Amino acid sequence: TLHRATSDSPLTVGAAGECRVAVGVAGEGELAWAGGRQPVGVGSVVLLPACVGECRVEPAGGAITVLECGLG
């Protein structure tokens, strides 16, 4: 699957029990999950292991666009 989301509010990416990849397309922000935080921006590629589940993308200073890729 491939999903594109753009928002200036927090977005949810990932899913419980499913491996996903998040790709930063535009803007900047942070990816937050129960175990920590990581900056994301244009060109960022983040593997979201199945054990992580849902994560939040929190935009910084404007809208962020993220592609979320998954199997199935």
Side-chain angles (χ1 to χ4, degrees):
T1 60
L2 180 63
H3 178 73
R4 178 184 176 125
T6 300
S7 181
D8 56 2
S9 299
L11 302 166
T12 300
V13 295
E18 294 183 26
C19 179
R20 301 278 177 96
V21 175
V23 180
V25 177
E28 294 184 4
E30 285 191 323
L31 179 71
W33 66 97
R37 303 176 79 76
Q38 176 175 332
V40 293
V42 177
S44 295
V45 178
V46 182
L47 173 64
L48 306 173
C51 63
V52 171
E54 289 187 350
C55 302
R56 288 172 51 98
V57 176
E58 300 171 352
I64 190 167
T65 300
V66 177
L67 289 178
E68 181 179 358
C69 312
L71 302 173

